[in-house]
Amino acid sequence: MTESELYQWLGKYGIKTPCCKVVGMNEEISVDFFPAVLKIQSPKVIHKSDVGGVILNLNSNEEIKNAREKMKKNIQDVHKIPLDNNDCFIITQMLQGEELYIGSVEDNVFGNVILFGKGGIYLELYKDICYIDSNAQEDEILRAFKNTKISKLFEGYRGSNHQMIEVITLVKNIQKLINENPDIKELDINPLKLTKDGLIAVDARIKKSSSISKESLRKSTRPDFLHNQRVAIIGASTDKTKAGYVVAKNSIGFKGELFFVNQKGGQLLEKPLLKSIEEIQGNIDTAVLAIPAKFVIPTIKELIPRGLKNLIVITAGFKESGHQEEELEIGKLAEENNFNVLGPNCLGYFNDSTNLNLTFGTGNLKTGHLAFISQSGAVLAGLMDYANALDIGFSHIMSTGNAVDLESSDLIPMLDRDPNAKSISLYLEGISKGKELLKNIRNTKKPIFLFKSGKSEEAAKAAFSHTGNLSGNYDMFSGLMKSLNVRVVDNIEALILKPLFHNSKEIAIITNAGGPGTVLTDAIVARGKKLYSLNEQNIRALNAILPEHWSHNNPIDIIGDALADRYKASLDVVDNFDGVDFIYMLITPQDMTDPLGSVKILKEKTYKHKVIPILIGGNMVEEARIFCKTNKILFFSSITEATSFL
Amino acid sequence: MTESELYQWLGKYGIKTPCCKVVGMNEEISVDFFPAVLKIQSPKVIHKSDVGGVILNLNSNEEIKNAREKMKKNIQDVHKIPLDNNDCFIITQMLQGEELYIGSVEDNVFGNVILFGKGGIYLELYKDICYIDSNAQEDEILRAFKNTKISKLFEGYRGSNHQMIEVITLVKNIQKLINENPDIKELDINPLKLTKDGLIAVDARIKKSSSISKESLRKSTRPDFLHNQRVAIIGASTDKTKAGYVVAKNSIGFKGELFFVNQKGGQLLEKPLLKSIEEIQGNIDTAVLAIPAKFVIPTIKELIPRGLKNLIVITAGFKESGHQEEELEIGKLAEENNFNVLGPNCLGYFNDSTNLNLTFGTGNLKTGHLAFISQSGAVLAGLMDYANALDIGFSHIMSTGNAVDLESSDLIPMLDRDPNAKSISLYLEGISKGKELLKNIRNTKKPIFLFKSGKSEEAAKAAFSHTGNLSGNYDMFSGLMKSLNVRVVDNIEALILKPLFHNSKEIAIITNAGGPGTVLTDAIVARGKKLYSLNEQNIRALNAILPEHWSHNNPIDIIGDALADRYKASLDVVDNFDGVDFIYMLITPQDMTDPLGSVKILKEKTYKHKVIPILIGGNMVEEARIFCKTNKILFFSSITEATSFL
């Protein structure tokens, strides 16, 4: 494509290009855009600049005409390239303005993704770029773009009067271009000039691919995994060291019908162990397999005619042990017979609404409204144990294991439909169907919290050897997630804690020391939250109960000699402040401090606000920590930990 | 100053400016730098651009001459400004190149500081700027500049052949300029063009201040605080709830002579309580005051004639309670009588080499090589307790309290001279003498670890109300510290832990699960450390003891069914790998895991490498956590915590 053809093609999609005109060797020149650039346009000239084939800064038609003569002479006489009447020249408008960049790539994971941000030599230097899905809607485009610093140029920065709508329009045009030209593998518009007439593509480079294989989005005809009425645990075991025992034990209490199957027969937890599936009367909509790997496929084949809708394969020993084929066979059976599979090599499934605990993690799962999807059984096991210690409950737990059939993305719509789940937390390692994930998140109304491992190259390598899944470019991943308003967290504990606090904005601090109070304030602000501002009435209320030299400010420094009674008096007062979302009770071990007495207050009285003790130090606060653990009071031992979920 | 005068003045300091020539109203024009810019230079024209007084892109002397005629006409005929023979024109070279920025500000805390980085409209947008002390040496300039992204343009980025020496030369010239012109309050060279001829100042703006008051650096004539031979504790008390008791109790074991003074007399800890200072024979080089505030000044006056060199005022109730004047009186006495004061309102002083513990924090301070200076008593108390629980020792502890005399910066040279301190950790809130701090850090050979609170505006406000010290601009602060190679840490625990690990580069992970291993890898890489790479011999050694499907990679995933024996076998092997700096032992609670048994290994055998257990989860790993605490094994409960000091 010549430059003029390129401009025309971009124009077809509504993308602005500079004014331009092609003129012949001796054609009359009459353009009305200045300053202008003159360039040779000839198949004989590859590198224009090398032969004097580009002249900048021309301010009149006469200057252009003179420049054309000079250029002809230079090319023909100095560089010995003969020109004829098939050759021509292109005159383009020279544009002043900031250099931006827009382009698209075909990513292995996410398919076509648009990149937009600062261009020119600063593209790579500052990486001030956002990532936008080729199917993104306006709100996503805006949310993504606002993560760049260059977006300030569209928000009145230094008197600029550019509008965000210019960006949205351009991105939508690029979406149209790449969606209508599926053979485009890469598009680079660099520079894209931000001129007083808007965003103008000055140059573009296209790379096409010969093979076109785009991910097709899944049509959901599968049964809903969350409907479970008749559940069979195949491999329920009396051997307490086996997963088959733990799952069976956890499952007791299910509100539907429950069957235990073990070829040895006998009894388990006051229920009969049926010797075969045949012994179960009627259909089996949900089955758990905790049997040796070699029996998995024959057992599935036995279950299919029984109306199987959902299968949980806890059994390990497939892909991760080199048995890829057997694993794929499970996926094929599911596809052909329209049932769902979770696993293999997974930690199981929990659904609070029917009290169905089919996990082989810790028992005692508490009732709650947090749905949790995990691609790692161990991370899930750790977090279930953590949540249990803190008395935090779940609505659902789904461990995807090797994800031969259902992936994390498939589970999101199911959880979105279940009113029992108020938020969805995801621990992701690799992703195979990126467009599907984006679509399902886009269509979800619930807040989503997400942690992805494999951010660094080293970790991606480790994750690959561990799950065999591509880990992808983390910047792109997190950029796309943020455009969808997903709360991307930076530590796994936040998957459990952040859903409890994400709506909290204004925080009060009651502290017995100024220094740690300041450190906590910094940590809160760094997480984008803020301190509640005391009003005069608040200050009067605190004056009445605190010594004269208290801070008169939030952090509320109640002075180093504060005993438990002063903490209590302060909490009683602060608990009545409107606008406070929750309260940190910061306790540092000083001469007079009574850490144990101070946290005991929280057991003795129920406050309207959540009160979170932070117990800094070592042995001097140990008793208080043990008290909190014993009484399931959420507390922290460092300021870093205490703010990592905000 | 006219533009031509400005260029001349900058030139005097070796700062390059564009070629330029001033010509009169009708003077012959003959310059040899093109393209050129023509500008009117007349006191009658304030805003040149508004009257057509700037014409760009002139390519020959003739074009310049024509432009001058056009400009004269425009100014005189259109804008009705009569020009005469006192008016003239300036012709300057139009420079192509990236827009950088250099400038200086007079900061309240640090005095003159140079700012250097990306300029133009991106100065504020990207804040890609470094901070350089006006007294910085070459290595500091380089270290500071390398923290900017724009520095890549001097490291061969995209074929650039600019050299770092250009930057150093320019910064040294700017240093000279501002040091020789102490009336300059602000200097802004923007843009500074990076051209093929080097860095050229195109425009400069200067703001002068009428009052010149620069911080004068302290002349060190003070005694060394760390030499303590005859120590008196004034206010030693038999009342166990009093600081005077705690300090006296902690002081027992001092290798020099120790005196307890209390007007009530009697005995304390098998030593006589002297009724007055008079009862002490001979000189008193070091005294601690733990007496009511009103007795502090009279007591100091009594101590001065006794050869007082060092005074530690634990007593509170000065500035923080509104008694600023009494506090300043202490400082004045110290200055006049050449003794040092730590405090008032401080937590005391510890010096391991003479076993002198004059703190009223936890007793049992362990011997070590970490010197710690803290501006917050509570942060210090928390960290002393934390270190004590982890069996980490100190060489010195110095609590500056209200710092009426000795500030953190004064203590650094003393600690640098003491071979017992191998590193210095600083907890800073506000700084009053910035240049002194920079000088003293510059002259220190030991690694310095530093945490500063009051990063955010909110926290700075809280810190100000707490200490009354200015907190300053955190970006400038941390930039200057990094230029001095100070390790600026982002959490207070790292002040204790990072000195133990800062030389560690390559880390091994032994884990019973792939997912958490990947998360840990990400966290390690994010902290700038790396994983040790297993070689063939390492893999063979691990093959011999691990199940077939172990990860064959670091993280060394020893598989979910690992019991304590497999952890032990792995540790025994990995402990022999050359090049590993330390080992994380990551334990997640899975079906088969034995967390307690696994950490017990560390009590039973001493490994060459430091082995750090990370116990993820809740109740299932609680016993193991308690075992670690009881046995003072450094362990962590989350990956965030476990890597926050790297």
Side-chain angles (χ1 to χ4, degrees):
Chain A
M1 251 194 272
T2 65
E3 193 167 338
S4 49
E5 286 163 348
L6 181 71
Y7 283 176
Q8 216 175 354
W9 181 72
L10 290 171
K12 257 181 41 190
Y13 296 96
I15 298 160
K16 288 187 203 167
T17 53
C19 298
C20 94
K21 186 160 170 51
V22 177
V23 295
M25 288 289 278
N26 299 298
E27 198 179 334
E28 168 83 18
I29 292 172
S30 161
V31 300
D32 58 0
F33 44 79
F34 303 104
V37 184
L38 180 79
K39 281 179 262 185
I40 177 74
Q41 191 162 302
S42 159
K44 295 168 212 141
V45 175
I46 308 299
H47 299 292
K48 296 182 180 97
S49 300
D50 295 355
V51 299
V54 181
I55 299 179
L56 305 172
N57 253 322
L58 301 166
N59 287 310
S60 67
N61 283 312
E62 207 190 312
E63 278 186 40
I64 300 175
K65 205 176 143 197
N66 294 340
R68 177 172 62 182
E69 289 315 303
K70 192 172 148 192
M71 193 180 287
K72 279 200 266 187
K73 215 175 249 174
N74 207 347
I75 293 172
Q76 299 192 116
D77 299 355
V78 181
H79 294 280
K80 308 291 178 200
I81 302 171
L83 298 175
D84 56 43
N85 276 335
N86 291 321
D87 296 317
C88 55
F89 296 85
I90 179 166
I91 307 162
T92 55
Q93 190 181 10
M94 228 181 116
L95 297 169
Q96 295 297 320
E98 293 310 316
E99 292 190 332
L100 305 191
Y101 167 85
I102 193 162
S104 83
V105 292
E106 194 182 82
D107 183 66
N108 283 331
V109 175
F110 289 107
N112 283 323
V113 174
I114 295 168
L115 286 78
F116 186 29
K118 176 74 187 123
I121 73 159
Y122 298 106
L123 176 60
E124 283 167 66
L125 205 58
Y126 289 127
K127 294 191 176 69
D128 185 28
I129 282 288
C130 66
Y131 297 88
I132 302 166
D133 180 28
S134 59
N135 302 321
Q137 296 163 349
E138 278 192 25
D139 59 329
E140 286 170 60
I141 298 170
L142 258 185
R143 220 181 278 117
F145 185 55
K146 283 190 172 176
N147 281 320
T148 65
K149 291 182 175 146
I150 203 80
S151 65
K152 296 226 167 70
L153 296 182
F154 295 82
E155 291 177 329
Y157 178 76
R158 290 173 72 114
S160 142
N161 55 8
H162 290 283
Q163 304 294 318
M164 284 290 180
I165 186 72
E166 300 174 44
V167 171
I168 292 171
T169 305
L170 175 65
V171 172
K172 290 193 149 280
N173 288 333
I174 297 282
Q175 286 179 327
K176 195 168 168 232
L177 183 149
I178 54 177
N179 288 332
E180 290 184 10
N181 295 275
D183 58 338
I184 292 181
K185 207 177 157 60
E186 273 178 46
L187 169 73
D188 268 310
I189 299 182
N190 193 12
L192 170 75
K193 284 264 189 176
L194 179 61
T195 75
K196 59 180 172 24
D197 301 317
L199 290 158
I200 301 182
V202 174
D203 201 4
R205 196 184 57 80
I206 290 162
K207 201 165 142 188
K208 298 199 173 191
S209 68
S210 44
S211 67
I212 305 167
S213 69
K214 306 277 169 176
E215 178 192 336
S216 56
L217 299 186
R218 189 169 194 152
K219 285 187 211 83
S220 179
T221 56
R222 286 289 182 79
D224 191 326
F225 197 97
L226 308 182
H227 290 172
N228 320 102
Q229 294 177 301
R230 293 170 57 84
V231 176
I233 300 174
I234 322 290
S237 171
T238 53
D239 180 346
K240 290 187 178 179
T241 68
K242 293 227 162 131
Y245 171 80
V246 182
V247 176
K249 185 167 155 280
N250 286 340
S251 71
I252 296 292
F254 174 47
K255 292 175 184 165
E257 282 180 85
L258 193 60
F259 307 94
F260 291 171
V261 178
N262 188 312
Q263 58 178 13
K264 290 181 192 149
Q267 271 231 329
L268 174 61
L269 304 161
E270 298 174 8
K271 282 179 76 73
L273 281 172
L274 307 174
K275 285 192 180 169
S276 73
I277 292 166
E278 279 167 37
E279 290 188 20
I280 302 174
Q281 304 277 319
N283 71 322
I284 305 161
D285 59 60
T286 301
V288 189
L289 305 189
I291 52 180
K294 62 182 171 181
F295 299 128
V296 164
I297 288 170
T299 305
I300 294 175
K301 286 181 178 165
E302 241 186 297
L303 285 162
I304 290 170
R306 304 299 297 275
L308 182 68
K309 288 178 180 165
N310 304 303
L311 182 70
I312 299 132
V313 185
I314 285 175
T315 308
F318 291 89
K319 188 171 65 179
E320 78 284 5
S321 310
H323 299 284
Q324 181 90 29
E325 270 178 45
E326 288 88 334
E327 182 165 313
L328 291 176
E329 173 74 13
I330 302 175
K332 215 172 133 230
L333 285 170
E335 200 55 58
E336 287 167 2
N337 297 282
N338 207 40
F339 63 87
N340 297 305
V341 182
L342 210 55
N345 189 21
C346 81
L347 204 75
Y349 163 59
F350 168 71
N351 187 340
D352 183 48
S353 56
T354 50
N355 198 23
L356 180 59
N357 184 353
L358 297 176
T359 70
F360 78 108
T362 175
N364 310 325
L365 283 171
K366 212 199 134 194
T367 281
H369 295 288
L370 171 66
F372 197 101
I373 302 170
S374 179
Q375 216 173 320
S376 158
V379 167
L380 177 57
L383 288 178
M384 279 162 72
D385 193 27
Y386 180 71
N388 191 31
L390 298 173
D391 225 22
I392 295 171
F394 296 92
S395 62
H396 305 81
I397 289 172
M398 309 187 86
S399 164
T400 59
N402 295 2
V404 69
D405 179 50
L406 290 184
E407 296 192 20
S408 306
S409 56
D410 302 313
L411 302 174
I412 294 171
M414 301 180 189
L415 293 168
D416 192 41
R417 283 192 299 269
D418 190 326
N420 205 25
K422 298 258 187 280
S423 67
I424 302 169
S425 288
L426 283 159
Y427 170 86
L428 280 188
E429 286 179 346
I431 301 144
S432 63
K433 295 177 293 178
K435 277 279 185 267
E436 183 86 21
L437 179 67
L438 296 174
K439 184 195 78 177
N440 289 344
I441 291 178
R442 182 175 297 130
N443 293 332
T444 300
K445 278 159 233 75
K446 293 176 181 169
I448 295 181
F449 301 88
L450 185 149
F451 180 94
K452 180 165 180 313
S453 73
K455 299 175 177 76
S456 57
E457 214 176 295
E458 286 92 329
K461 215 171 76 183
F464 185 76
S465 84
H466 161 58
T467 64
N469 271 323
L470 274 175
S471 197
N473 168 338
Y474 185 70
D475 284 343
M476 179 185 286
F477 174 83
S478 77
L480 289 170
M481 291 301 130
K482 283 175 190 163
S483 79
L484 287 161
N485 211 13
V486 169
R487 281 76 165 176
V488 180
V489 301
D490 61 7
N491 62 93
I492 52 176
E493 289 78 13
L495 288 173
I496 300 292
L497 296 172
K498 196 176 172 76
L500 303 177
F501 292 95
H502 76 111
N503 287 325
S504 303
K505 280 178 196 74
E506 304 211 2
I507 300 169
I509 301 172
I510 298 175
T511 176
N512 65 340
T518 313
V519 177
L520 178 56
T521 303
D522 274 330
I524 288 168
V525 173
R527 290 275 173 181
K529 303 282 180 178
K530 59 184 216 171
L531 292 199
Y532 169 76
S533 229
L534 300 185
N535 61 35
E536 272 180 46
Q537 202 185 337
N538 300 155
I539 290 175
R540 268 201 305 277
L542 286 164
N543 279 340
I545 54 135
L546 289 177
E548 191 189 344
H549 291 289
W550 76 278
S551 60
H552 289 74
N553 203 345
N554 182 17
I556 301 160
D557 183 350
I558 60 172
I559 314 292
D561 59 357
L563 290 172
D565 59 341
R566 201 183 296 158
Y567 270 108
K568 182 168 176 0
S570 310
L571 276 174
D572 289 349
V573 168
V574 176
D575 197 36
N576 287 318
F577 292 174
D578 291 334
V580 167
D581 288 304
F582 71 92
I583 304 166
Y584 279 120
M585 183 186 186
L586 183 54
I587 302 172
T588 51
Q590 299 184 68
D591 199 25
M592 307 282 294
T593 318
D594 175 13
L596 178 60
S598 303
V599 294
K600 275 188 175 167
I601 300 166
L602 303 180
K603 180 77 182 164
E604 284 154 14
K605 179 171 167 184
T606 304
Y607 287 94
K608 286 181 285 183
H609 289 90
K610 185 98 192 154
V611 180
I612 303 177
I614 307 178
L615 291 155
I616 285 179
N619 298 332
M620 290 167 80
V621 294
E622 192 56 25
E623 271 185 326
R625 287 175 181 159
I626 292 168
F627 181 87
C628 289
K629 277 184 192 171
T630 311
N631 290 283
K632 300 204 170 193
I633 296 169
L634 177 65
F635 80 100
F636 296 97
S637 299
S638 74
I639 288 168
T640 307
E641 223 190 319
T643 51
S644 61
F645 57 86
L646 290 182
Chain B
M1 252 193 272
T2 64
E3 192 166 340
S4 49
E5 286 163 348
L6 180 72
Y7 284 176
Q8 216 176 352
W9 182 72
L10 291 171
K12 258 181 39 190
Y13 296 96
I15 297 159
K16 288 188 203 170
T17 53
C19 298
C20 93
K21 187 161 170 52
V22 176
V23 294
M25 289 288 281
N26 299 296
E27 198 180 336
E28 168 82 18
I29 292 173
S30 162
V31 301
D32 58 358
F33 44 80
F34 302 103
V37 183
L38 181 78
K39 281 179 262 185
I40 178 75
Q41 191 163 302
S42 160
K44 295 167 211 141
V45 176
I46 307 297
H47 299 292
K48 296 183 179 97
S49 300
D50 296 354
V51 298
V54 180
I55 300 179
L56 305 173
N57 254 319
L58 302 166
N59 287 308
S60 67
N61 283 311
E62 208 189 311
E63 279 185 39
I64 300 174
K65 205 176 144 196
N66 295 339
R68 179 173 60 184
E69 290 314 304
K70 192 172 147 192
M71 192 179 288
K72 279 200 267 187
K73 213 173 248 172
N74 208 349
I75 294 172
Q76 300 192 115
D77 299 356
V78 181
H79 295 279
K80 310 288 180 203
I81 302 171
L83 298 174
D84 57 43
N85 275 335
N86 292 323
D87 297 315
C88 56
F89 297 85
I90 179 167
I91 308 163
T92 54
Q93 189 181 11
M94 230 182 115
L95 296 169
Q96 296 297 319
E98 292 311 316
E99 291 189 335
L100 305 191
Y101 168 84
I102 193 161
S104 82
V105 293
E106 195 182 81
D107 183 65
N108 282 333
V109 176
F110 289 107
N112 283 324
V113 174
I114 295 168
L115 286 78
F116 186 29
K118 177 73 186 120
I121 72 160
Y122 298 105
L123 176 59
E124 283 168 67
L125 204 60
Y126 290 127
K127 295 191 174 69
D128 185 27
I129 283 287
C130 66
Y131 297 87
I132 302 166
D133 180 29
S134 59
N135 301 321
Q137 296 163 350
E138 278 193 26
D139 58 330
E140 287 170 58
I141 299 171
L142 257 185
R143 221 181 276 116
F145 186 55
K146 283 189 172 176
N147 280 322
T148 66
K149 289 180 178 148
I150 204 81
S151 65
K152 294 224 168 68
L153 297 183
F154 296 81
E155 291 177 328
Y157 178 75
R158 290 172 71 117
S160 140
N161 54 10
H162 290 283
Q163 303 294 318
M164 285 290 180
I165 185 72
E166 299 174 44
V167 172
I168 293 170
T169 305
L170 175 64
V171 172
K172 289 191 149 283
N173 288 334
I174 297 282
Q175 286 179 329
K176 197 169 166 228
L177 184 149
I178 54 178
N179 289 333
E180 290 185 9
N181 295 276
D183 59 338
I184 293 181
K185 208 175 156 63
E186 271 177 48
L187 169 71
D188 266 311
I189 299 182
N190 192 13
L192 170 75
K193 285 263 188 177
L194 178 61
T195 75
K196 59 180 171 23
D197 299 318
L199 289 158
I200 299 182
V202 173
D203 201 4
R205 198 184 56 77
I206 291 163
K207 199 166 145 188
K208 298 200 172 190
S209 68
S210 47
S211 67
I212 305 167
S213 70
K214 306 277 171 177
E215 177 192 337
S216 57
L217 299 185
R218 187 167 194 153
K219 283 185 214 87
S220 179
T221 56
R222 287 290 181 79
D224 190 326
F225 197 97
L226 309 182
H227 289 173
N228 320 99
Q229 293 176 304
R230 292 170 58 85
V231 175
I233 298 174
I234 322 291
S237 171
T238 52
D239 179 347
K240 291 188 178 181
T241 68
K242 294 230 164 128
Y245 171 79
V246 182
V247 176
K249 183 168 157 279
N250 286 341
S251 72
I252 298 291
F254 173 48
K255 291 175 185 164
E257 282 178 86
L258 193 61
F259 307 95
F260 290 171
V261 178
N262 189 312
Q263 55 178 14
K264 293 181 193 151
Q267 270 230 329
L268 174 62
L269 303 160
E270 298 175 8
K271 281 179 78 74
L273 280 172
L274 307 175
K275 286 192 181 171
S276 73
I277 292 165
E278 280 168 34
E279 289 187 21
I280 302 173
Q281 304 280 318
N283 72 322
I284 304 162
D285 59 61
T286 302
V288 188
L289 306 189
I291 52 180
K294 61 181 173 182
F295 299 129
V296 164
I297 289 170
T299 307
I300 295 174
K301 287 182 176 164
E302 240 185 297
L303 284 162
I304 291 170
R306 305 300 296 275
L308 183 68
K309 288 178 180 163
N310 304 303
L311 182 70
I312 299 133
V313 186
I314 285 174
T315 307
F318 291 89
K319 187 171 64 178
E320 78 284 5
S321 310
H323 299 285
Q324 182 89 31
E325 270 178 44
E326 289 88 333
E327 183 165 314
L328 290 176
E329 173 75 15
I330 303 175
K332 215 173 132 232
L333 286 170
E335 201 55 59
E336 288 167 2
N337 297 282
N338 207 41
F339 63 88
N340 297 305
V341 182
L342 211 56
N345 188 19
C346 81
L347 204 75
Y349 163 60
F350 168 70
N351 187 341
D352 183 51
S353 56
T354 50
N355 199 24
L356 180 59
N357 184 353
L358 297 176
T359 70
F360 78 110
T362 175
N364 311 325
L365 283 171
K366 214 198 133 193
T367 282
H369 295 288
L370 171 66
F372 197 101
I373 301 170
S374 180
Q375 215 173 321
S376 158
V379 166
L380 178 57
L383 288 178
M384 278 163 72
D385 192 28
Y386 180 72
N388 191 31
L390 298 173
D391 225 20
I392 294 171
F394 295 92
S395 62
H396 306 82
I397 289 173
M398 309 187 85
S399 164
T400 58
N402 294 2
V404 69
D405 178 50
L406 290 183
E407 295 192 23
S408 306
S409 56
D410 301 313
L411 303 173
I412 294 171
M414 301 179 189
L415 293 168
D416 192 42
R417 282 192 299 270
D418 190 327
N420 206 25
K422 298 259 187 280
S423 68
I424 302 168
S425 288
L426 284 158
Y427 171 86
L428 281 188
E429 284 177 350
I431 302 145
S432 64
K433 296 177 290 179
K435 277 278 186 268
E436 183 86 21
L437 179 67
L438 296 175
K439 183 195 80 177
N440 289 344
I441 291 177
R442 182 174 296 129
N443 294 333
T444 301
K445 278 157 234 76
K446 293 176 181 169
I448 295 180
F449 301 87
L450 186 150
F451 181 96
K452 178 163 180 315
S453 72
K455 298 175 178 75
S456 58
E457 214 177 297
E458 287 92 329
K461 215 171 77 184
F464 185 76
S465 84
H466 163 58
T467 64
N469 270 322
L470 274 175
S471 198
N473 168 340
Y474 185 70
D475 284 343
M476 179 185 284
F477 174 84
S478 78
L480 289 171
M481 289 302 130
K482 283 176 192 163
S483 80
L484 286 161
N485 211 14
V486 169
R487 279 76 164 177
V488 179
V489 301
D490 60 8
N491 62 93
I492 53 176
E493 289 78 12
L495 288 173
I496 301 291
L497 296 171
K498 195 176 173 77
L500 304 176
F501 292 96
H502 76 111
N503 287 323
S504 303
K505 279 178 196 76
E506 304 210 2
I507 300 168
I509 300 171
I510 299 175
T511 175
N512 65 340
T518 313
V519 177
L520 178 56
T521 303
D522 275 331
I524 289 169
V525 173
R527 290 273 173 182
K529 303 281 180 177
K530 59 184 217 171
L531 293 198
Y532 169 78
S533 226
L534 301 184
N535 61 35
E536 272 181 45
Q537 205 186 332
N538 300 154
I539 291 175
R540 268 199 306 276
L542 287 164
N543 278 341
I545 54 134
L546 289 177
E548 192 188 345
H549 292 289
W550 75 277
S551 60
H552 290 75
N553 204 341
N554 182 16
I556 301 160
D557 182 351
I558 61 172
I559 314 292
D561 59 356
L563 291 171
D565 60 340
R566 202 185 292 158
Y567 270 108
K568 179 167 178 5
S570 309
L571 276 174
D572 289 348
V573 169
V574 175
D575 197 38
N576 287 317
F577 292 175
D578 292 334
V580 167
D581 288 306
F582 72 91
I583 304 166
Y584 280 120
M585 182 185 188
L586 183 54
I587 301 173
T588 50
Q590 299 185 71
D591 198 27
M592 307 282 292
T593 317
D594 174 12
L596 179 59
S598 303
V599 294
K600 276 187 173 167
I601 299 165
L602 303 180
K603 180 77 183 165
E604 284 153 14
K605 181 173 166 181
T606 305
Y607 288 95
K608 285 181 288 185
H609 289 90
K610 186 97 189 153
V611 181
I612 303 177
I614 307 177
L615 291 155
I616 286 179
N619 298 332
M620 290 168 81
V621 294
E622 191 56 25
E623 271 186 326
R625 288 176 181 160
I626 292 168
F627 182 86
C628 288
K629 277 183 190 170
T630 311
N631 290 283
K632 301 205 168 192
I633 294 169
L634 176 66
F635 80 99
F636 296 97
S637 297
S638 74
I639 288 168
T640 307
E641 222 192 318
T643 50
S644 61
F645 58 85
L646 290 182

